[in-house]
Coordinates of all heavy atoms in Angstrom, one line a residue:
M1 N 130.9 94.7 118.0 CA 131.8 93.6 118.2 C 131.6 92.6 116.9 O 130.5 92.5 116.4 CB 131.3 92.8 119.4 CG 132.1 91.6 119.7 SD 131.6 90.9 121.3 CE 132.7 89.6 121.4
V2 N 132.7 92.1 116.5 CA 132.8 91.2 115.4 C 133.0 89.8 115.9 O 133.9 89.5 116.7 CB 133.9 91.6 114.4 CG1 134.0 90.6 113.3 CG2 133.6 93.0 113.9
D3 N 132.2 88.8 115.4 CA 132.3 87.4 115.7 C 132.7 86.7 114.5 O 132.3 87.0 113.4 CB 131.0 86.9 116.3 CG 130.6 87.4 117.6 OD1 131.5 87.7 118.4 OD2 129.4 87.7 117.8
F4 N 133.6 85.7 114.6 CA 134.0 84.8 113.6 C 133.5 83.4 113.8 O 133.7 82.9 114.9 CB 135.5 84.8 113.4 CG 136.1 86.1 113.0 CD1 136.5 87.0 114.0 CD2 136.2 86.5 111.7 CE1 137.0 88.2 113.7 CE2 136.7 87.7 111.4 CZ 137.1 88.6 112.3
F5 N 132.8 82.8 112.9 CA 132.3 81.5 113.0 C 131.9 80.9 111.7 O 131.9 81.6 110.7 CB 131.1 81.4 114.0 CG 130.0 82.4 113.6 CD1 128.9 82.1 112.9 CD2 130.1 83.7 114.2 CE1 127.9 83.0 112.6 CE2 129.1 84.6 113.9 CZ 128.0 84.3 113.1
L6 N 131.6 79.6 111.6 CA 131.3 78.9 110.4 C 129.7 78.9 110.3 O 129.0 78.7 111.3 CB 131.8 77.4 110.4 CG 133.3 77.3 110.4 CD1 133.7 75.8 110.6 CD2 133.8 77.8 109.1
V7 N 129.3 79.1 109.1 CA 127.8 79.1 108.8 C 127.5 78.2 107.6 O 128.3 78.2 106.6 CB 127.4 80.5 108.5 CG1 125.9 80.6 108.1 CG2 127.6 81.5 109.6
E8 N 126.4 77.4 107.7 CA 126.1 76.6 106.5 C 125.6 77.5 105.4 O 124.9 78.5 105.6 CB 124.9 75.7 106.9 CG 125.2 74.6 107.9 CD 124.1 73.7 108.2 OE1 123.7 73.0 107.3 OE2 123.6 73.8 109.3
T9 N 126.1 77.2 104.2 CA 125.7 78.0 103.0 C 124.2 78.1 102.8 O 123.7 79.1 102.4 CB 126.4 77.5 101.7 OG1 126.1 76.1 101.5 CG2 127.9 77.7 101.7
K10 N 123.5 77.0 103.2 CA 122.0 77.1 103.0 C 121.3 78.0 103.9 O 120.2 78.4 103.7 CB 121.4 75.7 103.1 CG 121.5 75.1 104.6 CD 120.9 73.7 104.6 CE 121.0 73.2 106.1 NZ 120.4 71.9 106.1
S11 N 122.0 78.5 104.9 CA 121.4 79.5 105.9 C 121.7 80.9 105.5 O 121.3 81.9 106.2 CB 122.0 79.3 107.3 OG 121.7 78.0 107.7
I12 N 122.3 81.1 104.3 CA 122.7 82.5 103.9 C 122.0 82.8 102.6 O 121.7 82.0 101.7 CB 124.3 82.5 103.6 CG1 125.1 82.1 104.8 CG2 124.7 83.9 103.1 CD1 126.5 81.9 104.5
S13 N 121.6 84.1 102.5 CA 121.0 84.6 101.3 C 121.8 85.9 100.8 O 122.5 86.5 101.6 CB 119.5 85.0 101.5 OG 119.4 86.0 102.5
S14 N 121.6 86.2 99.6 CA 122.3 87.4 99.0 C 121.2 88.2 98.2 O 120.4 87.7 97.5 CB 123.4 86.9 98.1 OG 123.9 88.0 97.4
S15 N 121.4 89.5 98.4 CA 120.5 90.4 97.6 C 120.9 90.5 96.2 O 120.1 91.1 95.4 CB 120.4 91.8 98.3 OG 121.7 92.4 98.3
Q16 N 122.1 90.0 95.9 CA 122.6 90.1 94.5 C 122.5 88.7 93.8 O 122.9 87.7 94.4 CB 124.0 90.6 94.4 CG 124.1 92.0 94.9 CD 125.6 92.5 94.7 OE1 126.3 92.0 94.0 NE2 125.9 93.6 95.5
S17 N 121.9 88.6 92.7 CA 121.7 87.4 91.9 C 123.0 86.9 91.4 O 123.9 87.7 91.1 CB 120.8 87.6 90.8 OG 120.7 86.5 89.9
A18 N 123.2 85.6 91.3 CA 124.4 85.0 90.8 C 124.6 85.4 89.3 O 125.7 85.5 88.9 CB 124.3 83.5 90.9
S19 N 123.5 85.7 88.6 CA 123.6 86.1 87.2 C 124.3 87.5 87.1 O 124.7 87.9 86.0 CB 122.3 86.1 86.6 OG 121.4 87.0 87.2
N20 N 124.5 88.2 88.2 CA 125.2 89.5 88.1 C 126.7 89.4 88.0 O 127.4 90.3 87.7 CB 124.9 90.3 89.4 CG 123.5 90.8 89.5 OD1 122.7 90.7 88.6 ND2 123.1 91.3 90.7
F21 N 127.2 88.1 88.1 CA 128.6 87.9 88.1 C 129.0 87.0 86.9 O 128.2 86.2 86.5 CB 129.0 87.2 89.4 CG 128.7 88.0 90.6 CD1 127.6 87.7 91.4 CD2 129.5 89.1 91.0 CE1 127.2 88.5 92.5 CE2 129.2 89.8 92.2 CZ 128.0 89.5 92.9
D22 N 130.2 87.2 86.5 CA 130.8 86.4 85.4 C 130.9 85.0 85.9 O 131.6 84.7 86.9 CB 132.1 87.0 85.0 CG 132.8 86.2 83.9 OD1 132.6 85.0 83.8 OD2 133.6 86.8 83.1
Q23 N 130.2 84.1 85.2 CA 130.1 82.7 85.7 C 131.5 82.0 85.6 O 131.7 81.1 86.4 CB 129.0 81.9 84.9 CG 127.6 82.4 85.2 CD 127.3 82.5 86.7 OE1 127.3 81.5 87.4 NE2 127.0 83.7 87.2
S24 N 132.3 82.3 84.7 CA 133.7 81.7 84.7 C 134.5 82.2 85.9 O 135.2 81.4 86.5 CB 134.4 82.1 83.4 OG 134.7 83.4 83.3
Q25 N 134.3 83.4 86.4 CA 134.9 83.9 87.6 C 134.4 83.2 88.8 O 135.1 82.8 89.7 CB 134.7 85.4 87.7 CG 135.5 86.0 88.8 CD 135.4 87.5 88.8 OE1 134.5 88.1 88.2 NE2 136.2 88.2 89.6
V26 N 133.1 82.9 88.8 CA 132.4 82.2 89.9 C 133.0 80.8 90.0 O 133.4 80.3 91.1 CB 130.9 82.2 89.8 CG1 130.3 81.3 90.8 CG2 130.3 83.6 90.0
D27 N 133.1 80.1 88.8 CA 133.7 78.8 88.8 C 135.1 78.7 89.2 O 135.5 77.8 89.9 CB 133.5 78.2 87.3 CG 132.1 77.8 87.0 OD1 131.3 77.5 87.9 OD2 131.8 77.8 85.8
K28 N 135.9 79.7 88.8 CA 137.3 79.7 89.2 C 137.5 79.9 90.7 O 138.3 79.2 91.4 CB 138.1 80.8 88.5 CG 138.4 80.5 87.0 CD 139.1 81.7 86.4 CE 139.2 81.6 84.9 NZ 139.7 82.7 84.2
L29 N 136.7 80.8 91.3 CA 136.7 81.0 92.7 C 136.2 79.8 93.5 O 136.7 79.4 94.5 CB 135.9 82.2 93.1 CG 136.0 82.7 94.5 CD1 137.4 82.9 95.0 CD2 135.3 84.0 94.7
A30 N 135.2 79.1 92.9 CA 134.7 77.9 93.6 C 135.8 76.8 93.6 O 135.9 76.1 94.6 CB 133.5 77.3 92.8
K31 N 136.5 76.7 92.5 CA 137.6 75.7 92.5 C 138.7 76.1 93.6 O 139.2 75.2 94.3 CB 138.3 75.6 91.2 CG 139.4 74.6 91.1 CD 140.0 74.6 89.7 CE 141.1 73.6 89.5 NZ 141.9 73.2 90.7
L32 N 139.0 77.4 93.7 CA 139.9 77.8 94.7 C 139.4 77.5 96.1 O 140.2 77.2 97.0 CB 140.2 79.3 94.6 CG 141.1 79.7 93.4 CD1 141.1 81.2 93.3 CD2 142.5 79.2 93.5
I33 N 138.1 77.7 96.3 CA 137.5 77.4 97.7 C 137.7 76.0 98.0 O 138.1 75.6 99.1 CB 136.1 77.9 97.7 CG1 135.9 79.4 97.6 CG2 135.3 77.3 98.9 CD1 134.5 79.9 97.4
L34 N 137.5 75.1 97.0 CA 137.6 73.7 97.3 C 139.1 73.3 97.5 O 139.4 72.5 98.4 CB 137.0 72.9 96.1 CG 135.5 72.9 96.0 CD1 135.0 72.3 94.7 CD2 134.9 72.2 97.2
D35 N 140.0 73.9 96.7 CA 141.4 73.6 96.8 C 142.0 74.1 98.2 O 142.8 73.4 98.7 CB 142.2 74.2 95.7 CG 141.9 73.6 94.3 OD1 141.3 72.5 94.3 OD2 142.3 74.2 93.3
A36 N 141.5 75.2 98.6 CA 142.0 75.8 99.9 C 141.2 75.4 101.1 O 141.5 75.8 102.2 CB 141.9 77.3 99.8
D37 N 140.2 74.5 100.9 CA 139.3 74.1 102.0 C 138.6 75.2 102.7 O 138.5 75.2 103.9 CB 140.1 73.2 103.0 CG 140.6 71.9 102.5 OD1 139.8 71.3 101.6 OD2 141.7 71.4 102.8
G38 N 138.2 76.2 102.0 CA 137.5 77.3 102.6 C 137.7 78.6 101.9 O 138.6 78.7 101.0
L39 N 137.0 79.6 102.3 CA 137.2 81.0 101.7 C 138.5 81.6 102.2 O 138.8 81.4 103.4 CB 136.0 81.9 102.1 CG 134.6 81.6 101.5 CD1 133.6 82.4 102.2 CD2 134.6 81.8 100.1
L40 N 139.2 82.3 101.3 CA 140.4 83.0 101.7 C 140.0 84.3 102.4 O 140.7 84.8 103.2 CB 141.3 83.2 100.5 CG 141.7 81.9 99.8 CD1 142.5 82.3 98.6 CD2 142.5 81.1 100.7
R41 N 138.9 84.9 101.9 CA 138.4 86.2 102.5 C 137.0 85.9 103.0 O 136.1 85.6 102.3 CB 138.4 87.3 101.5 CG 138.0 88.6 102.0 CD 138.2 89.7 101.0 NE 137.3 89.5 99.9 CZ 136.9 90.4 99.0 NH1 137.4 91.6 99.1 NH2 136.1 90.1 98.0
P42 N 136.8 86.0 104.4 CA 135.5 85.6 104.9 C 134.4 86.5 104.5 O 134.6 87.7 104.1 CB 135.7 85.8 106.4 CG 137.2 85.9 106.7 CD 137.8 86.3 105.4
L43 N 133.2 86.0 104.5 CA 132.0 86.8 104.2 C 131.7 87.7 105.4 O 132.0 87.3 106.5 CB 130.8 85.9 103.9 CG 130.9 84.9 102.8 CD1 129.6 84.0 102.8 CD2 131.1 85.6 101.5
I44 N 131.1 88.8 105.1 CA 130.5 89.7 106.2 C 129.0 89.5 106.1 O 128.4 89.8 105.1 CB 131.0 91.1 106.0 CG1 132.5 91.2 106.1 CG2 130.3 92.0 107.1 CD1 133.0 92.6 105.9
L45 N 128.5 89.0 107.2 CA 127.0 88.6 107.2 C 126.3 89.4 108.3 O 126.9 89.8 109.3 CB 126.9 87.1 107.5 CG 127.6 86.2 106.6 CD1 127.5 84.8 107.1 CD2 127.0 86.2 105.2
K46 N 125.0 89.6 108.0 CA 124.1 90.2 109.0 C 123.1 89.1 109.4 O 122.5 88.5 108.5 CB 123.4 91.4 108.4 CG 122.4 92.0 109.3 CD 121.8 93.3 108.7 CE 120.8 92.9 107.6 NZ 120.0 94.0 107.0
Q47 N 122.9 88.9 110.7 CA 121.9 87.9 111.1 C 120.5 88.5 110.9 O 120.3 89.6 111.4 CB 122.2 87.5 112.6 CG 121.3 86.3 113.0 CD 121.8 85.6 114.3 OE1 122.6 86.2 115.0 NE2 121.2 84.5 114.6
T48 N 119.7 87.7 110.2 CA 118.3 88.2 109.9 C 117.3 87.3 110.7 O 116.1 87.7 110.6 CB 118.1 88.2 108.4 OG1 118.2 86.8 107.9 CG2 119.0 89.1 107.7
G49 N 117.7 86.3 111.3 CA 116.8 85.4 112.0 C 117.5 84.3 112.7 O 118.8 84.4 112.7
L50 N 116.8 83.4 113.3 CA 117.5 82.3 114.0 C 118.2 81.4 112.9 O 117.5 80.8 112.1 CB 116.5 81.5 114.7 CG 117.0 80.3 115.6 CD1 117.9 80.9 116.7 CD2 115.9 79.6 116.3
E51 N 119.5 81.4 112.9 CA 120.3 80.7 112.0 C 120.0 81.1 110.5 O 120.1 80.3 109.6 CB 120.1 79.2 112.1 CG 120.6 78.7 113.5 CD 120.6 77.2 113.6 OE1 120.8 76.5 112.6 OE2 120.4 76.7 114.7
K52 N 119.7 82.4 110.3 CA 119.5 82.9 109.0 C 120.4 84.2 108.8 O 120.4 85.0 109.8 CB 118.0 83.3 108.7 CG 117.1 82.2 108.7 CD 117.3 81.4 107.5 CE 116.3 80.2 107.4 NZ 116.6 79.2 106.4
Y53 N 121.1 84.3 107.7 CA 122.0 85.4 107.5 C 121.9 86.0 106.1 O 121.5 85.3 105.2 CB 123.5 84.9 107.7 CG 123.7 84.3 109.1 CD1 123.4 82.9 109.3 CD2 124.1 85.1 110.1 CE1 123.6 82.4 110.5 CE2 124.3 84.5 111.4 CZ 124.0 83.2 111.6 OH 124.2 82.6 112.8
E54 N 122.2 87.2 106.0 CA 122.3 87.9 104.7 C 123.7 88.5 104.4 O 124.3 89.0 105.3 CB 121.2 89.0 104.6 CG 121.1 89.7 103.3 CD 120.1 90.8 103.3 OE1 119.1 90.7 104.1 OE2 120.2 91.7 102.4
V55 N 124.1 88.3 103.2 CA 125.5 88.8 102.8 C 125.5 90.4 102.8 O 124.6 91.0 102.2 CB 125.9 88.3 101.5 CG1 127.3 88.9 101.1 CG2 125.9 86.8 101.4
V56 N 126.4 90.9 103.6 CA 126.6 92.4 103.6 C 127.8 92.7 102.6 O 127.7 93.6 101.8 CB 126.9 92.9 105.0 CG1 127.3 94.4 105.0 CG2 125.8 92.7 105.9
S57 N 128.8 91.9 102.7 CA 130.0 92.0 101.8 C 130.5 90.7 101.4 O 130.6 89.8 102.3 CB 131.0 92.9 102.5 OG 132.2 93.0 101.7
G58 N 130.8 90.5 100.1 CA 131.3 89.2 99.7 C 130.3 88.4 98.9 O 130.3 87.2 98.9
H59 N 129.5 89.1 98.1 CA 128.5 88.5 97.3 C 129.1 87.5 96.3 O 128.6 86.4 96.1 CB 127.6 89.5 96.6 CG 126.8 90.4 97.5 ND1 125.6 90.0 98.0 CD2 127.1 91.6 98.1 CE1 125.1 90.9 98.9 NE2 126.0 91.9 98.9
L60 N 130.1 87.9 95.6 CA 130.8 87.0 94.7 C 131.3 85.8 95.4 O 131.1 84.6 94.9 CB 132.0 87.7 94.0 CG 132.9 86.8 93.1 CD1 132.1 86.2 91.9 CD2 134.1 87.6 92.6
E61 N 131.9 85.9 96.5 CA 132.5 84.8 97.3 C 131.3 83.9 97.7 O 131.5 82.7 97.7 CB 133.3 85.3 98.5 CG 134.6 86.0 98.1 CD 134.5 87.4 97.7 OE1 133.3 88.0 97.6 OE2 135.5 88.0 97.4
Y62 N 130.2 84.5 98.1 CA 129.0 83.7 98.5 C 128.6 82.8 97.4 O 128.4 81.6 97.5 CB 127.9 84.6 99.0 CG 126.6 83.8 99.0 CD1 126.3 82.9 100.0 CD2 125.6 84.1 98.1 CE1 125.2 82.1 100.0 CE2 124.4 83.4 98.1 CZ 124.2 82.4 99.1 OH 123.0 81.7 99.1
H63 N 128.4 83.4 96.2 CA 127.9 82.6 95.0 C 129.0 81.5 94.6 O 128.6 80.4 94.2 CB 127.6 83.5 93.9 CG 126.3 84.3 94.2 ND1 125.1 83.7 94.3 CD2 126.1 85.6 94.4 CE1 124.2 84.6 94.6 NE2 124.8 85.8 94.6
A64 N 130.2 81.8 94.8 CA 131.3 80.8 94.5 C 131.2 79.7 95.5 O 131.4 78.5 95.2 CB 132.6 81.5 94.5
A65 N 130.9 80.0 96.8 CA 130.8 79.0 97.8 C 129.6 78.1 97.5 O 129.7 76.9 97.8 CB 130.6 79.7 99.2
V66 N 128.5 78.7 97.1 CA 127.3 77.9 96.7 C 127.7 76.9 95.5 O 127.4 75.8 95.5 CB 126.2 78.8 96.3 CG1 125.0 78.0 95.7 CG2 125.6 79.5 97.5
R67 N 128.5 77.5 94.5 CA 128.9 76.6 93.4 C 129.9 75.5 93.9 O 129.8 74.4 93.5 CB 129.6 77.5 92.4 CG 130.1 76.8 91.1 CD 129.0 76.3 90.2 NE 128.0 77.3 89.9 CZ 128.2 78.2 88.9 NH1 129.3 78.2 88.2 NH2 127.2 79.1 88.7
A68 N 130.7 75.9 94.8 CA 131.6 74.9 95.4 C 130.9 73.8 96.1 O 131.2 72.6 96.0 CB 132.6 75.5 96.4
K69 N 129.8 74.1 96.8 CA 129.0 73.1 97.5 C 128.3 72.2 96.4 O 128.1 71.1 96.7 CB 127.9 73.8 98.4 CG 127.1 72.8 99.1 CD 126.1 73.4 100.0 CE 125.3 72.3 100.7 NZ 124.2 72.8 101.5
E70 N 127.9 72.8 95.3 CA 127.2 72.0 94.2 C 128.2 71.0 93.7 O 127.9 69.9 93.4 CB 126.8 72.9 93.1 CG 125.6 73.8 93.4 CD 125.3 74.8 92.4 OE1 126.0 74.9 91.4 OE2 124.3 75.6 92.6
K71 N 129.5 71.3 93.7 CA 130.6 70.5 93.2 C 131.0 69.4 94.2 O 131.3 68.3 93.8 CB 131.8 71.3 92.7 CG 131.6 72.1 91.5 CD 132.8 72.9 91.1 CE 132.6 73.7 89.9 NZ 133.8 74.1 89.3
N72 N 131.0 69.8 95.5 CA 131.4 68.9 96.5 C 130.7 69.3 97.8 O 131.3 70.1 98.6 CB 132.9 68.9 96.7 CG 133.5 67.9 97.7 OD1 132.7 67.4 98.5 ND2 134.7 67.5 97.5
A73 N 129.6 68.7 98.1 CA 128.7 69.1 99.2 C 129.4 68.9 100.5 O 129.2 69.7 101.4 CB 127.4 68.4 99.1
Q74 N 130.1 67.8 100.7 CA 130.8 67.6 102.0 C 131.9 68.5 102.3 O 132.1 69.0 103.4 CB 131.3 66.1 102.0 CG 130.2 65.1 102.0 CD 130.8 63.7 102.0 OE1 131.9 63.5 101.5 NE2 130.0 62.8 102.6
K75 N 132.6 68.9 101.3 CA 133.8 69.8 101.5 C 133.4 71.2 101.6 O 134.2 72.0 102.2 CB 134.8 69.6 100.3 CG 136.2 70.0 100.6 CD 137.1 69.6 99.5 CE 138.5 70.0 99.8 NZ 139.5 69.6 98.8
A76 N 132.3 71.6 101.1 CA 132.0 73.1 101.0 C 130.6 73.4 101.7 O 129.9 74.3 101.2 CB 132.0 73.5 99.5
E77 N 130.3 72.6 102.7 CA 129.0 72.8 103.3 C 128.9 74.1 104.2 O 127.9 74.8 104.3 CB 128.6 71.6 104.2 CG 127.3 71.7 104.8 CD 126.9 70.5 105.6 OE1 127.7 69.5 105.6 OE2 125.8 70.4 106.1
M78 N 130.1 74.5 104.7 CA 130.2 75.6 105.7 C 131.1 76.7 105.1 O 132.0 76.3 104.4 CB 130.7 75.2 107.0 CG 130.0 74.0 107.6 SD 128.5 74.4 108.4 CE 128.9 75.0 110.0
V79 N 130.8 77.9 105.4 CA 131.7 79.0 105.0 C 132.1 79.8 106.3 O 131.4 79.8 107.3 CB 131.1 80.0 104.0 CG1 130.9 79.3 102.7 CG2 129.8 80.6 104.5
N80 N 133.2 80.5 106.2 CA 133.7 81.3 107.4 C 133.2 82.8 107.2 O 133.0 83.2 106.1 CB 135.2 81.2 107.6 CG 136.0 81.4 106.3 OD1 135.5 81.2 105.2 ND2 137.2 81.9 106.5

C-alpha cells in the first residue's frame, strides 16, 4: 500500500551525498520547488524509525528540497 503525506525535510536522510549532483542543477530545481510551492515529483521514502525516513527514489529532488529550505525555511519546510 502506498501512502501520500507531507514530511519535514529534517526527518529525511539520503544515502547519496549532495556532492554527487551538479550543484547548478540542484539550485535550479530548488528555485522551481519554491516557485511551485512544492515538489512536482514526490519523493519515495522508506520509514526507518518514528518520524524518520530514508530516500528510496528522488535523491536529487531531496537535495534540492534541502537547498530550497536553506533559501526559504517557511516555504520549503515540508516535502510531499
Side-chain angles (χ1 to χ4, degrees):
M1 180 176 180
V2 176
D3 293 322
F4 295 93
F5 49 95
L6 294 174
V7 177
E8 292 182 67
T9 53
K10 68 180 182 181
S11 299
I12 304 170
S13 63
S14 173
S15 61
Q16 295 186 19
S17 171
S19 62
N20 291 349
F21 302 98
D22 180 327
Q23 294 308 300
S24 65
Q25 189 177 12
V26 172
D27 285 332
K28 286 178 188 176
L29 187 52
K31 183 180 178 333
L32 287 172
I33 290 169
L34 291 171
D35 291 347
D37 292 327
L39 292 170
L40 300 176
R41 186 172 62 163
L43 301 177
I44 298 176
L45 305 172
K46 173 177 75 173
Q47 190 165 9
T48 57
L50 186 61
E51 297 187 33
K52 295 289 180 189
Y53 302 88
E54 183 176 337
V55 177
V56 174
S57 179
H59 296 275
L60 171 63
E61 291 82 357
Y62 163 72
H63 290 294
V66 170
R67 181 69 52 82
K69 183 178 178 189
E70 291 170 358
K71 292 180 177 195
N72 187 333
Q74 291 178 332
K75 197 170 182 181
E77 184 175 1
M78 308 283 275
V79 295
N80 49 334

